[in-house]
Amino acid sequence: AQTVTQSQPEMSVQEAETVTLSCTYDTSENNYYLFWYKQPPSRQMILVIRQEAYKQQNATENRFSVNFQKAAKSFSLKISDSQLGDTAMYFCAFGDSNYQLIWGAGTKLIIKP
Amino acid sequence: NAGVMQNPRHLVRRRGQEARLRCSPMKGHSHVYWYRQLPEEGLKFMVYLQKENIIDESGMPKERFSAEFPKEGPSILRIQQVVRGDSAAYFCASSPQRVGYAEAFFGQGTRLTVV
């Protein structure tokens, strides 16, 4: 069965710093998708970035980028120039040829002014 | 294009009552997924529906829980005879395709509190 592990329950950094959130997963599939979702205090689940496993190039969305290491089954999220509005829970999720999203337990990120 | 709409946002029920959670998917989306989030945890899959069909309900408890997505109207997650352990946030997501190949758009969730 697929599993997703986020080993950092909580992280905090100063505003404008760079922070990296880690995520590892386990699967026997070869084709799959990986996602990072952000859940601010409003509880809305917001897609931050998506990576397709067959693409070697790491996905980037403005200040957000990933380091996708397929062989190591690692999918970390880097947030550059962090802002106060980045404070939220961040969830890593895995989606394969099936339709379920398998979720990690989340990392609480606090950006300090 | 309105996002995924869930209502109510907050729902309080006494033990033994019924809870009905509604989800209106984004326009043009025919795939709906329900997830449950317990405090300090990630989301857990409950059920996947397409219009008028339940595709997979393997994550849903066999008793007291049911879901539907009728031809007209929102998807409904129904919990009968609620117990304290049902207290959680319930999220609905919709997509134009199966989630693995498209991003899923989430609603804001319904927080169910059983007292």
Side-chain angles (χ1 to χ4, degrees):
Chain A
Q2 288 89 351
T3 58
V4 176
T5 302
Q6 293 180 249
S7 59
Q8 305 151 311
E10 184 171 324
M11 296 185 71
S12 65
V13 296
Q14 294 292 138
E15 191 177 7
E17 288 184 347
T18 294
V19 60
T20 298
L21 309 182
S22 64
C23 172
T24 58
Y25 60 94
D26 188 26
T27 183
S28 57
E29 299 269 342
N30 192 45
N31 296 318
Y32 50 86
Y33 284 68
L34 293 160
F35 305 84
W36 277 99
Y37 281 89
K38 169 184 177 181
Q39 187 179 39
S42 67
R43 290 193 294 113
Q44 178 78 46
M45 199 64 76
I46 302 165
L47 178 66
V48 174
I49 201 164
R50 179 179 83 165
Q51 175 78 42
E52 296 150 53
Y54 67 86
K55 289 188 178 178
Q56 292 185 342
Q57 187 172 6
N58 289 325
T60 299
E61 288 288 345
N62 300 315
R63 297 182 297 107
F64 299 88
S65 62
V66 298
N67 182 5
F68 173 48
Q69 302 289 327
K70 191 172 183 180
K73 296 180 182 173
S74 170
F75 183 61
S76 61
L77 174 70
K78 185 172 85 170
I79 306 174
S80 304
D81 186 27
S82 56
Q83 301 174 358
L84 296 179
D86 295 333
T87 292
M89 285 291 292
Y90 285 80
F91 292 95
C92 178
F94 169 97
D96 61 10
S97 57
N98 209 333
Y99 36 76
Q100 298 181 23
L101 281 177
I102 309 299
W103 297 73
T107 296
K108 183 177 183 180
L109 176 63
I110 300 169
I111 309 299
K112 297 179 288 187
Chain B
N1 188 5
V4 178
M5 303 300 293
Q6 287 188 251
N7 66 81
R9 290 290 308 277
H10 302 276
L11 181 62
V12 179
R13 284 288 177 264
R14 295 187 185 279
R15 281 179 292 173
Q17 290 185 320
E18 177 180 288
R20 290 171 69 89
L21 288 63
R22 295 175 184 77
C23 169
S24 296
M26 288 184 69
K27 187 177 180 181
H29 288 192
S30 59
H31 299 249
V32 166
Y33 316 80
W34 285 93
Y35 289 84
R36 176 163 64 177
Q37 184 181 30
L38 295 173
E40 309 301 323
E41 293 186 15
L43 279 65
K44 295 288 193 294
F45 169 80
M46 297 183 73
V47 61
Y48 164 41
L49 310 105
Q50 286 182 274
K51 280 286 187 182
E52 301 184 271
N53 290 306
I54 296 174
I55 306 302
D56 182 2
E57 55 183 350
S58 61
M60 200 156 64
K62 296 259 187 292
E63 297 180 354
R64 303 188 298 107
F65 285 72
S66 63
E68 63 177 12
F69 188 16
K71 186 177 180 181
E72 301 291 338
S75 175
I76 305 288
L77 178 66
R78 182 181 176 205
I79 311 172
Q80 295 178 291
Q81 299 175 327
V82 296
V83 301
R84 289 260 172 87
D86 297 333
S87 294
Y90 292 83
F91 285 90
C92 165
S94 75
S95 71
Q97 310 173 55
R98 293 188 318 186
V99 167
Y101 299 94
E103 67 184 57
F105 292 86
F106 281 82
Q108 290 190 292
T110 294
R111 183 171 294 280
L112 171 66
T113 302
V114 179
V115 298

